[in-house]
Amino acid sequence: MTLIVWLALVPATLCAQQGATEIPLKYGADRVGKREDPAMIKFRENRLGAFIHWGLYAIPGGEWNGKVYPGAAEWLKSWANVPSDEWMKLMDQWNPTKFDATAWAKMAKDMGVRYVKITTKHHEGFCLWPSKYSKYTVAQTPYKKDILGELVKAYNKEGIDVHFYFSVMDWSHPDYRSSIKTPADSVAFSRFLEFTDNQLKELATRYPTVKDFWFDGTWDSSIKKNGWWTAHVERMLKELVLGVTINSRLRADDYGKRHFDSNGRLMGDYESAYERRLPDPVKDLKVTQWDWEACMTLPENQWGYHKDWSLSYVKTPIEVIDRIVHAVSMGGNMVVNFGPQPDGDFRPEEKEMAKAVGQWMRRYGQAVYACDYAGLPKQDWGYYTRGKEGEVYMVVFNQPYSRRLTVKTPKGVTVKKAELLTSGEQLDVVETARNEYNISVPAQDQGEPYVIRLQMHSKEGGKDSYRDALT
Ligand code: H76
C-alpha cells in the first residue's frame, strides 16, 4: 500500500506537449493516458505472448528456384521478385497434414503464454480463414479447413487469448497502392480500403472472441495520407468487439504522423514499435507512461519458417527470458515469435524453446504476469518488477562474484526482508548507506536466473542516521 504511494510520484514528466503548442487534430489520439478498463488490464497483465507467422511463405522456407535468400522468409516473394499469380500457386501445396490445433494450444499453454497473435493475413495476401472477399484463402487449398477458426477454438479452450495480426499492405490485391499518384490510383485505393474494411468486419464477426487486432504493413504513404481511415478502422472494430485492443501501428493522424500524433500522444491502445529491440532500461523510462508490447524473433530476423537457421545467430532460452523480463520491468509485454513448418508442425528448436521458457515461467512467473515497472534504479544484476500488491521482485540474471546484490531505494523507503521466491530462503539484508542495501545471494547456486521477493517499507519522516557529504 505505502509502496503504491511513492510509485505514483515517479512518472513526473508528461510526453504530450500542452497549452499553446496544441495542434488541433481530427484523427489524433482518442485519449490521454492509459486505458484502464478490464479488457486493457487483462491485455497488460497477460504480459507474455506468442506470435505465429504462418502462410504460403512457409512452403519455400526462404528458397526460390534453387537460391536460398537470407532475408526474412515471409518476404521471399519480394526478395525473389515473384509475381503474385506465380506466388499464389503455392496454394496448391498448402496441405499441412500434421496441423493439430489442440497440440499448438497445449504447446502455448506449456510455454506459459497468456495470448497468441496469429497472422490472419501477411503481406502476401493469403488468408488463414475462408474470407469471402478473396480467392487466396485456405478454403481454396487442398487442405480446405479454416485454420484460424480451429486455432481460435483450441487456444480459447486452454484459456489463452487470441490476437489477430493483420497486414493492411496486401501484395495480392490489384487495387493496393503504396502511393497515390493519379486519380485512378485514388479510385483503386478507395476500393482497396473498402475491401479491407470488409475483411476486418468479417474477422470481427466470425471470431467474436478475438481480443486484439495488431496491424502491420501500414507504413506506405497511401495509408499515411489517409489517417481518417486508420481512425475509422479503430472505431469500427471497437464497435464490433467490446473491449478489443488495437496497436499503435495502425494509426496515422491528419498530418501522416504515426504511432504518436502531432501532439505527442499515443494513438491506439498500446505502442507497438519495439520490434526486435527493446527500450534502454536506464535512458528510456518514458515508456513506462503508456502501455506497450514488444515482439521478437528467435533468429536475428525470421518470422515465417525459414529452412536454414544457420544463417544468423539464434537466441538461447535464457536470452529470451531476459527479454521477457526486461520488457515487463519497463511496463511492457513481450511476444515471442514462432514460424511453423509447412507440414503444420513446429521445428524442434521452437519446441525446445517453448518448453524451456515454460519451465522457467512455472517457477518464476509470479515475477512476470501482472507485474509492472517497479520504480527503482536499475542495477547490474538484472531487473526489478513490481507485483499487483506492490511487492517488488528482483530477477537476477548476472550472479555477482561479490555474492552481494545492491539495492537502492527512493528517499524514505527501506528494505525489510528478502527471500528466494522458490524456497522462501531468507537472504541477509544489510543496510550499507542511506537508501542502499546489500542482499546476499542464495546459499546454493541456482543454476539459472532466479527471483528474490523484497519486502519494503515506506517511512514518513523517520530518523536518518546518515550525513551528506560536504562538497
Ligand atoms: C517488416 C515487417 C513485418 N513485421 C513483422 C512483425 C513481421 O511480420 C515482418 O514480416
Side-chain angles (χ1 to χ4, degrees), residues 51 53 74-75 122-123 165 214 216 219 249 275 295 303:
F51 227 133
H53 272 74
E74 73 283 1
W75 278 71
H122 203 265
H123 312 332
Y165 166 105
W214 197 93
D216 197 15
W219 45 74
R249 197 177 290 202
E275 181 170 315
C295 52
W303 299 87

Side-chain angles (χ1 to χ4, degrees), residues 201-255:
K201 277 188 244 171
E202 187 180 41
L203 283 170
T205 47
R206 273 184 71 101
Y207 313 102
T209 64
V210 60
K211 296 288 181 261
D212 173 273
F213 280 81
W214 197 93
F215 288 92
D216 197 15
T218 44
W219 45 74
D220 279 341
S221 75
S222 53
I223 298 163
K224 280 197 285 191
K225 286 187 181 147
N226 283 290
W228 69 270
W229 177 80
T230 67
H232 144 81
V233 164
E234 182 167 339
R235 214 173 316 117
M236 175 181 88
L237 290 173
K238 285 182 171 172
E239 276 164 22
L240 289 170
V241 185
L242 190 71
V244 76
T245 53
I246 312 275
N247 68 334
S248 64
R249 197 177 290 202
L250 168 68
R251 296 284 301 274
D253 78 359
D254 313 37
Y255 299 95

Side-chain angles (χ1 to χ4, degrees), residues 371-396:
C371 288
D372 213 330
Y373 172 55
L376 296 167
K378 169 95 171 78
Q379 301 299 326
D380 292 338
W381 42 256
Y383 307 101
Y384 291 105
T385 65
R386 174 173 51 92
K388 268 168 99 173
E389 310 299 324
E391 76 276 21
V392 171
Y393 299 102
M394 298 167 61
V395 190
V396 180

